[in-house]
């Protein structure tokens, strides 16, 4: 215990209690006598209980907030001082710091320095130690998980398509914006994914994000679980149903005449080149492009005419680039990234015949004679669609080419990047999922606009070794677009601990 001298005189005086000569001070007492008379830490508890959840490793900040704090961090120091705030109203806090304790001792010791004015204006300063005892208590979130009935809201995302390209793209958006962190559980089922949340607010945030990133519509319902008539409180479980438009990249669609006219007198047969917050369409006969948002789609719905399994491989026999294409009155925007061309193609399965097909395509900038290309054969297919059945048969193309074909095994061998995946429960997985995922990876390589919203990481485990003969012209992702995958490891090679040191 010590005191601060507030008198300016250099004369000595006698202690009023024991008579020892001391420098003059307002109390006229020596340090030993002041110690027996005054304890400025009186009323401040020397032992305090702090609640800690062992499952999620968070501390309770009364009344009902759980916060993540590392040992000897500023956050933990502030939490401990809040425990003493009500008992330290009559003293002034000068300094506070941690004393080292064994991390597994369930004890946190804090050294406090306080000041207080006593006895005729003498200012006393005292240093003492407060011990915080860590007591285990399960938080509400972990309690619901252990009870197996923990979720209060579920977001059911559905898309009635064969291909999962839109879901793979959506997964990367969620990982980039870290919206999957609030989900208690993610379950993948047939035609969709279910996201379970502990609060309705987190589920509503997820629905709002989906409506901004993919064309969709949503419905909300809730079910009463319990009702307390005394406090008039209700416990509901909410369900958000989100339906994504049933159109994926590389699908061929047939628009209604009214919708095609409103989009700049486009042709009714269009190809979906991308699905982001809108559906991006291109007319293979004129290179006209248009975007269809969710509201427009649900007012004038259209379906995919063919599934990806119906794609057939063609070989290009002749290419003729169309330079001067005149559009009619009221025509919309044309794509500057594609080139219009007339091509003669032949199925690779019909090479022993003389059957060839003539069509227009938007892939004129990619195709050369002898290239392989994937497309849909409308001439020999039976398609049941209400808009297509009403079209003039002369306006329906024999073949619609979708994309240039490359050797997949070479592309996989050359691929030196990877994507992150969400941890989720899988149900009803089929053998076609791996092929669909490879399709999505190839789409990222081919479409620069699509991968702008995706975090692409270098794959350190793959060192591509290639020669000049291996390069078949397939698009690739440059190193500038890749990110280093962050891994926190300590000197021993294990995961680094969450510790903050000054």
């Amino acid at each position: 215990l010590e005191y601060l001298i507030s008198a300016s005189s250099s004369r000595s005086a006698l202690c009023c209690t024991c008579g020892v000569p001391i420098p003059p001070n307002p109390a006229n007492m020596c340090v030993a006598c002041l110690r027996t008379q005054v304890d400025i830490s009186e009323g401040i508890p020397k032992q305090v209980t702090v609640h800690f959840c062992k499952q999620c490793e968070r501390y309770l900040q009364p009344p009902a907030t759980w916060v993540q704090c590392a040992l000897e961090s500023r956050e933990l120091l502030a939490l401990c001082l809040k425990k003493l705030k009500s008992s330290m109203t009559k003293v002034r806090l000068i300094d506070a710091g941690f004393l080292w304790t064994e991390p597994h001792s369930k004890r946190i010791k804090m050294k406090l320095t306080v000041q207080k004015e006593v006895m005729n204006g003498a200012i006393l300063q005292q240093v003492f130690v407060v011990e915080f005892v860590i007591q285990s208590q399960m938080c509400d979130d972990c309690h619901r998980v252990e009870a197996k009935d923990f979720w209060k809201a579920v977001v059911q995302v559905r898309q009635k398509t064969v291909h999962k390209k839109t879901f793979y793209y959506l997964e990367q958006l969620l990982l980039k914006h870290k919206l999957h962190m609030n989900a208690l559980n993610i379950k993948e089922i047939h035609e969709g994914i279910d996201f379970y949340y502990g609060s309705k607010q987190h589920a509503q945030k997820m629905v709002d994000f989906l409506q901004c990133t993919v064309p969709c519509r949503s419905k909300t319902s809730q079910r009463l679980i319990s009702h307390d008539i005394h406090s008039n409180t209700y416990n509901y479980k909410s369900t958000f149903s989100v339906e994504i438009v049933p159109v994926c990249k590389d699908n061929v669609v047939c628009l209604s005449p009214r919708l095609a006219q409103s989009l700049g007198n486009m042709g009714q047969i269009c190809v979906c080149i991308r699905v982001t917050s809108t559906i991006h369409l291109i007319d293979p006969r004129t290179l006209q492009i248009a975007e269809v948002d969710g509201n427009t789609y649900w007012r004038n719905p259209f379906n995919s005419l063919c599934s990806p399994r119906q794609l057939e491989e063609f070989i290009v026999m002749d290419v003729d680039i169309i330079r001067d294409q005149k559009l009619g009155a009221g025509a919309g925007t044309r794509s500057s990234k594609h080139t219009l061309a007339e091509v003669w193609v032949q199925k690779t399965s019909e090479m022993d015949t003389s059957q060839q097909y003539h069509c227009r395509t938007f892939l004129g900038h990619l195709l050369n004679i002898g290239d392989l290309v994937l497309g849909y054969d409308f001439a020999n297919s039976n398609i049941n669609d209400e808009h297509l059945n009403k079209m003039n048969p002369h306006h329906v193309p024999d073949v619609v080419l979708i994309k240039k074909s490359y050797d997949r095994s070479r592309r996989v061998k050359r691929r030196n990047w990877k994507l992150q995946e969400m941890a989720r429960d899988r149900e009803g997985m089929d053998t076609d999922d791996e092929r669909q995922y490879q399709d999505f990876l190839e789409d990222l390589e081919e479409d620069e606009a699509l991968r702008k919203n995706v975090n692409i990481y270098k794959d350190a485990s793959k060192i591509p070794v290639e020669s000049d003969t291996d390069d078949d012209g397939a698009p690739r992702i440059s190193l500038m677009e890749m990110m280093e995958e962050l891994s926190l490891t300590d000197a021993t090679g294990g995961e680094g601990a969450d510790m903050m040191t000054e």
Side-chain angles (χ1 to χ4, degrees):
L1 185 70
E2 61 178 352
Y3 60 85
L4 305 179
I5 300 176
S6 58
S8 58
S9 174
S10 60
R11 296 179 297 105
S12 62
L14 300 178
C15 175
C16 65
T17 304
C18 62
V20 175
I22 59 172
N25 62 77
N28 283 331
M29 296 178 66
C30 63
V31 175
C33 295
L34 275 173
R35 185 182 294 116
T36 61
Q37 296 290 327
V38 178
D39 180 14
I40 65 174
S41 67
E42 184 179 4
I44 302 176
K46 303 304 184 292
Q47 192 175 61
V48 183
T49 301
V50 176
H51 296 287
F52 176 74
C53 179
K54 291 191 288 187
Q55 273 76 6
C56 60
E57 298 184 351
R58 293 186 299 175
Y59 293 88
L60 174 63
Q61 181 174 310
T65 305
W66 293 83
V67 292
Q68 193 94 25
C69 300
L71 289 175
E72 299 189 7
S73 64
R74 294 180 179 180
E75 292 81 4
L76 185 59
L77 182 69
L79 187 143
C80 293
L81 289 176
K82 286 182 180 179
K83 288 275 187 179
L84 304 175
K85 185 177 180 181
S86 60
S87 59
M88 296 177 62
T89 56
K90 297 181 180 180
V91 297
R92 183 170 60 179
L93 179 65
I94 300 302
D95 188 28
F98 289 107
L99 296 177
W100 187 88
T101 56
E102 173 64 35
H104 301 286
S105 64
K106 300 294 183 183
R107 297 291 188 276
I108 300 174
K109 291 186 178 180
M110 183 185 294
K111 183 174 71 172
L112 300 177
T113 304
V114 295
Q115 285 184 359
K116 185 180 180 181
E117 184 178 330
V118 296
M119 288 193 181
N120 303 323
I123 300 176
L124 302 185
Q125 182 170 301
Q126 183 175 347
V127 179
F128 62 98
V129 176
V130 178
E131 184 181 62
F132 294 87
V133 181
I134 299 177
Q135 190 173 27
S136 297
Q137 177 179 328
M138 188 178 291
C139 66
D140 294 339
D141 295 336
C142 295
H143 189 76
R144 292 194 188 99
V145 173
E146 293 297 321
K148 306 298 182 185
D149 189 22
F150 52 96
W151 61 273
K152 284 195 171 183
V154 59
V155 179
Q156 299 174 340
V157 186
R158 300 290 183 267
Q159 186 183 31
K160 297 178 181 178
T161 55
V162 177
H163 210 290
K164 298 181 179 179
K165 287 185 179 180
T166 307
F167 280 113
Y168 290 134
Y169 174 70
L170 186 60
E171 176 186 13
Q172 296 304 315
L173 291 180
L174 294 175
L175 286 169
K176 183 172 184 177
H177 297 281
K178 298 181 180 181
L179 280 179
H180 66 294
M181 303 295 289
N182 293 328
L184 300 176
N185 189 23
I186 302 174
K187 185 179 294 185
E188 182 176 338
I189 62 172
H190 179 61
E191 291 188 346
I193 304 177
D194 290 346
F195 297 87
Y196 295 89
Y197 294 92
S199 67
K200 186 178 179 180
Q201 289 76 15
H202 287 156
Q204 184 64 57
K205 183 179 180 181
M206 177 67 173
V207 174
D208 294 341
F209 177 78
L210 291 175
Q211 290 176 339
C212 295
T213 52
V214 289
C216 60
R217 62 180 176 181
S218 63
K219 294 181 181 178
T220 307
S221 63
Q222 58 185 13
R223 179 164 58 96
L224 181 64
I225 303 301
S226 61
H227 173 213
D228 188 351
I229 60 174
H230 300 290
S231 60
N232 199 30
T233 57
Y234 296 83
N235 183 20
Y236 288 102
K237 277 192 172 182
S238 302
T239 301
F240 297 86
S241 178
V242 180
E243 182 182 358
I244 303 176
V245 295
V247 178
C248 286
K249 186 180 185 299
D250 297 337
N251 283 164
V252 179
V253 298
C254 183
L255 308 179
S256 64
R258 181 179 178 182
L259 178 59
Q261 185 179 12
S262 67
L263 295 177
N265 290 326
M266 290 182 68
Q268 289 184 245
I269 303 294
C270 295
V271 178
C272 176
I273 56 175
R274 194 181 305 116
V275 177
T276 54
S277 58
T278 58
I279 305 172
H280 298 253
L281 300 175
I282 187 170
D283 184 355
R285 295 177 60 86
T286 62
L287 286 190
Q288 280 186 246
I289 56 175
E291 296 184 19
V292 179
D293 58 11
N295 294 331
T296 305
Y297 175 84
W298 297 118
R299 287 196 303 266
N300 302 278
F302 51 86
N303 297 317
S304 174
L305 300 180
C306 307
S307 67
R309 296 174 183 174
Q310 295 172 293
L311 277 173
E312 297 195 46
E313 190 176 60
F314 297 86
I315 185 169
V316 179
M317 308 303 293
D318 189 20
V319 180
D320 185 15
I321 303 296
I322 300 176
R323 302 293 181 184
D324 299 323
Q325 169 70 14
K326 294 183 180 181
L327 298 179
T333 308
R334 294 186 65 195
S335 174
S336 59
K337 297 182 179 180
H338 301 85
T339 302
L340 190 63
E342 290 185 348
V343 295
W344 284 92
V345 294
Q346 186 176 16
K347 288 185 182 180
T348 54
S349 60
E350 297 177 352
M351 294 297 291
D352 55 343
T353 67
S354 60
Q355 178 66 41
Q356 293 188 7
Y357 302 92
H358 178 265
C359 64
R360 282 195 176 190
T361 180
F362 57 93
L363 301 175
H365 58 298
L366 297 176
L367 298 183
N368 297 300
I369 297 176
D371 287 346
L372 297 178
V373 61
L374 298 177
Y376 293 111
D377 181 9
F378 278 80
N380 302 308
S381 60
N382 184 13
I383 302 173
N384 186 18
D385 183 81
E386 60 172 332
H387 302 311
L388 186 67
N389 295 338
K390 296 176 182 179
M391 283 185 62
N392 187 341
H394 297 290
H395 295 164
V396 179
D398 293 337
V399 172
V400 177
L401 301 181
I402 301 300
K403 60 181 179 180
K404 188 175 178 179
S405 178
Y406 301 96
D407 189 346
R408 171 162 288 183
S409 60
R410 287 184 181 180
R411 298 184 73 171
V412 173
K413 191 181 300 184
R414 282 204 312 258
R415 189 171 294 136
N416 59 342
W417 55 274
K418 61 182 178 179
L419 301 176
Q420 291 184 339
E421 294 187 23
M422 291 189 304
R424 57 187 183 273
D425 298 334
R426 298 176 182 266
E427 291 183 5
M429 295 290 290
D430 54 23
T431 57
D432 200 37
D433 284 350
E434 180 61 29
R435 182 187 65 82
Q436 294 185 14
Y437 188 68
Q438 291 297 326
D439 287 344
F440 174 69
L441 297 183
E442 292 174 2
D443 289 343
L444 289 179
E445 291 176 337
E446 297 167 6
D447 192 348
E448 182 181 356
L450 188 66
R451 62 176 179 259
K452 284 183 178 179
N453 299 325
V454 176
N455 286 343
I456 298 173
Y457 298 91
K458 294 180 182 177
D459 192 353
S461 63
K462 295 183 66 175
I463 303 177
V465 178
E466 58 179 312
S467 62
D468 295 338
T469 58
D470 290 335
D471 191 6
D472 55 355
R476 303 174 62 179
I477 298 179
S478 63
L479 288 174
M480 295 293 292
E481 298 179 80
M482 300 182 194
M483 303 171 61
E484 293 284 354
E485 193 168 20
L486 181 63
S487 60
L488 299 177
T489 55
D490 57 14
T492 61
E495 291 294 327
D498 291 333
M499 292 291 290
M500 291 182 63
T501 55
E502 294 295 335

